[in-house]
């Protein structure tokens, strides 16, 4: 059955009929033009539809497991107050980098300054007491001892004289008793003077009590000074301020977190990997990360921790990657993407992933072009890289395969191959 011409070509032939009596060159030219036009219109019926094709080649292929995660540090420092006081000033902003010793929060210090002044006065009083013992009490006791010693010598002389006079009968027994009583009093006064010297001396009880009072005053001053120092909250380590929950005028209380500081140190990526990829993960695998805020930048990482448990709700496993040389743009809790290299193959046959039909089944296949006709070929796949797959069996280097996104075609059909891209990784 002849194929009918389109309406516009029938109209054209009716308006310009071919005449065998016309000049031969014109008839030939017109016939050729009509033949070319018909070929253009019926090219799909004659040569088959055009399909995009790719050439299988040998190349290196890297298979990765891709996931998203967040930047974290191994530890975070919670900043708080050990005293209850009002917040007067906050000289830092959230996200600011600080050095150890930098002021983070200033608290009201009026009460603590008064306590320091009171403690300083107690120290001065204790110092004065020791000075009094050393410069007044001890010299006075020493003079009293000298006087008591002299009185005792005089008492002995008077008593000896009274004994001689009593023996000769010049004085009565009562005079001798008075001399003896005076001698006993002077001996007692000597002992009291000696004790007074010892007590006021460096090893005496009064001096020890004064020294103890001075030490206690210094301890009270140190405590008051420590409380005064606590009114200025400083950074304990170098790091970045990643959290702040306090404003001037708030009341800081012990146990309440005011700020969070991320110390300078090892940077990590915490990511959740689909549990179906767990068998491919191994400690020490290299990875490449990129931040969503800086998609053109890349940084190296290494897998060093795989959580032994599975998150049942999300069906994922937590992994940690170490970033040895973190770029300056990385921030705490920043969202990043990581490509963990789980396998690598050198000089293997690869084709674009979009050329594999039923790739998710156990019987994948491709449509190859051989002699301008399609041939269905089952394939055995290996590694899966970014946009490419490894072919272990079924396709050889140099063979041409079509894209799955092309027109509806079937094996044995004639097609016109349109090269699109050269396969490679």
């Amino acid at each position: 059955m002849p194929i009918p011409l389109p309406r516009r070509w029938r109209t054209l032939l009716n308006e310009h009929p071919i005449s065998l009596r016309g000049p031969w060159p014109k008839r030939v030219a017109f016939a050729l033009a009509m033949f070319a036009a018909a070929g253009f219109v019926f090219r799909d019926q004659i040569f088959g539809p055009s399909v995009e094709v790719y050439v299988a080649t040998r190349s290196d292929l890297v298979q990765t497991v891709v996931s998203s995660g967040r930047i974290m540090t191994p530890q975070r420092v919670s900043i708080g107050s050990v005293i209850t006081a009002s917040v007067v000033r906050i000289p830092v902003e959230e996200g600011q980098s600080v050095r150890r010793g930098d002021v983070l929060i200033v608290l009201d210090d009026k009460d603590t300054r008064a306590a320091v002044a009171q403690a300083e006065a107690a120290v001065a009083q204790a110092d004065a007491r020791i000075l009094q013992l050393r410069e007044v009490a001890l010299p006075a006791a020493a003079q009293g001892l000298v006087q008591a010693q002299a009185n005792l010598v005089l008492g002995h002389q008077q008593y000896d004289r009274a004994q001689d006079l009593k023996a000769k009968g010049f004085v009565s027994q009562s005079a001798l008793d008075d001399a003896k009583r005076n001698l006993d009093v002077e001996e007692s006064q000597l002992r009291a003077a000696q004790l007074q010297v010892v007590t006021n001396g460096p090893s005496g009880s009064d001096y020890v009590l004064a020294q103890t009072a001075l030490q206690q005053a210094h301890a009270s001053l140190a405590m008051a000074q420590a409380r005064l120092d606590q009114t200025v909250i400083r950074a304990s380590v170098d790091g970045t301020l990643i959290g702040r929950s306090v404003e001037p005028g708030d009341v800081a209380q012990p146990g309440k977190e005011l700020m969070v500081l991320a110390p300078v140190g090892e940077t990590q990526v915490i990511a959740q990997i689909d549990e179906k990829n767990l068998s491919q993960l191994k400690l020490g695998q290299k990875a490449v990360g990129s931040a969503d805020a800086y998609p053109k930048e890349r940084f190296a990482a290494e897998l060093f921790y795989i959580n032994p448990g599975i998150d049942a709700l999300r069906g994922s496993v937590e992994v940690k990657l170490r970033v040895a040389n973190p770029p300056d743009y990385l921030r705490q809790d920043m969202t990043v993407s990581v490509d963990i290299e789980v396998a690598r193959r050198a000089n293997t046959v690869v084709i674009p992933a979009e050329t594999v039909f039923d790739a998710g089944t156990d019987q994948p296949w491709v449509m190859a072009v051989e002699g301008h006709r399609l041939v269905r070929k089952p394939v055995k796949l290996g590694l899966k890289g970014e946009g490419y797959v490894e072919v272990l069996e079924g396709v050889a280097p140099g063979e041409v395969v079509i894209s799955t996104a092309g027109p509806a075609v079937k094996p044995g059909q004639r097609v016109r191959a349109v090269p699109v891209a050269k396969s490679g990784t």
Side-chain angles (χ1 to χ4, degrees):
M1 180 178 180
I3 300 176
L5 292 175
R7 178 180 300 177
R8 62 173 183 171
W9 293 111
R10 293 199 304 270
T11 303
L12 182 62
L13 289 175
N14 291 332
E15 293 177 354
H16 304 280
I18 299 175
S19 176
L20 297 178
R21 293 188 298 268
W24 176 254
K26 291 183 178 181
R27 290 197 299 270
V28 172
F30 185 76
L32 292 175
M34 292 298 294
F35 180 78
F40 178 80
V41 173
F42 299 103
R43 66 188 185 283
D44 286 353
Q45 289 83 352
I46 300 173
F47 302 106
S50 61
V51 292
E52 295 181 348
V53 297
Y54 300 84
V55 179
T57 59
R58 286 192 174 275
S59 179
D60 296 342
L61 186 68
V62 176
Q63 181 169 323
T64 61
V65 171
V66 182
S67 180
S68 62
R70 291 192 176 276
I71 296 296
M72 298 283 287
T73 54
Q75 60 179 345
R76 298 187 179 192
V77 178
S78 178
I79 305 298
S81 174
V82 297
I83 63 174
T84 300
S86 298
V87 178
V88 175
R89 186 167 58 92
I90 302 176
V92 294
E93 297 293 337
E94 189 171 355
Q96 179 178 336
S97 296
V98 296
R99 305 286 293 177
R100 180 177 182 178
D102 287 353
V103 176
L104 303 180
I105 302 173
V106 179
L107 304 177
D108 184 10
D109 62 356
K110 293 190 293 292
D111 292 342
T112 52
R113 286 191 179 279
V116 169
Q118 186 176 9
E120 289 174 342
V123 170
Q125 185 178 9
D127 274 330
R129 173 59 178 159
I130 290 181
L131 184 64
Q132 181 187 26
L133 290 174
R134 186 184 301 116
E135 296 184 357
V136 178
L138 183 58
Q143 291 298 322
L145 177 60
V146 172
Q147 186 176 357
Q149 290 172 339
N151 290 337
L152 181 59
V153 171
L154 180 60
H156 275 292
Q157 292 174 351
Q158 291 176 347
Y159 179 71
D160 291 341
R161 189 164 46 251
Q163 280 184 323
D164 290 341
L165 293 175
K166 175 65 175 61
K168 294 178 181 179
F170 293 115
V171 296
S172 64
Q173 181 64 37
S174 91
L176 180 61
D177 292 341
D178 290 339
K180 181 66 171 68
R181 183 175 59 255
N182 291 335
L183 178 60
D184 292 339
V185 170
E186 289 163 355
E187 288 179 345
S188 176
Q189 290 177 344
L190 176 62
R191 288 193 294 272
Q194 290 173 336
L195 289 175
Q196 194 69 23
V197 171
V198 172
T199 299
N200 292 322
S203 60
S205 59
D206 285 355
Y207 198 87
V208 171
L209 287 174
Q211 282 186 319
T212 302
L214 178 61
Q215 293 172 353
Q216 190 173 30
H218 275 295
S220 297
L221 176 60
M223 182 179 297
Q225 186 63 53
R227 291 182 66 84
L228 178 61
D229 294 340
Q230 289 166 355
T231 61
V232 179
I233 301 176
R234 302 176 182 274
S236 57
V237 294
D238 297 347
T240 302
L241 187 64
I242 62 174
R244 167 179 163 179
S245 58
V246 63
E247 297 295 337
D250 292 346
V251 177
Q253 296 178 341
K256 179 182 178 182
E257 183 180 85
L258 305 178
M259 293 180 175
V260 179
L261 185 66
V264 172
E266 183 178 87
T267 299
Q268 298 177 0
V269 177
I270 311 297
Q272 297 290 332
I273 304 295
D274 194 308
E275 63 178 314
K276 68 181 181 182
N277 297 317
L278 181 58
S279 62
Q280 304 179 56
L281 300 179
K282 293 181 177 60
L283 299 182
Q285 288 175 335
K286 304 300 181 181
V288 176
S290 63
D292 293 351
Y294 301 88
K296 296 183 179 179
E297 302 291 337
R298 297 288 184 272
F299 60 88
E302 180 181 347
L303 180 65
F304 76 95
Y305 173 80
I306 302 174
N307 195 308
I310 301 295
D311 188 327
L313 296 178
R314 292 187 288 184
S316 62
V317 57
E318 181 184 85
V319 300
K320 296 181 181 181
L321 299 99
R322 182 182 295 110
V323 183
N325 298 301
D328 295 336
Y329 63 80
L330 289 185
R331 300 289 186 270
Q332 286 299 306
D333 296 319
M334 177 180 281
T335 301
V336 296
S337 297
V338 289
D339 293 9
I340 305 173
E341 182 181 322
V342 297
R344 176 184 288 270
R345 201 89 72 200
N347 194 31
T348 188
V349 180
V350 297
I351 58 175
E354 63 182 282
T355 63
V356 181
F357 294 81
D358 297 333
T361 69
D362 57 355
Q363 293 182 341
W365 55 281
V366 297
M367 197 82 81
V369 179
E370 295 182 359
H372 302 291
R373 293 191 180 277
L374 297 178
V375 178
R376 173 171 173 161
K377 289 189 172 185
V379 292
K380 181 179 179 181
L381 303 180
L383 301 184
K384 298 178 181 179
E386 185 176 356
Y388 293 86
V389 294
E390 178 188 23
V391 181
L392 301 177
E393 296 176 4
V395 174
E399 289 195 60
V400 177
V401 292
I402 71 170
S403 170
T404 60
V409 292
K410 57 185 179 180
Q413 183 175 346
R414 189 180 181 88
V415 294
R416 291 180 292 111
V418 180
V420 174
K422 184 178 181 180
S423 64
T425 59

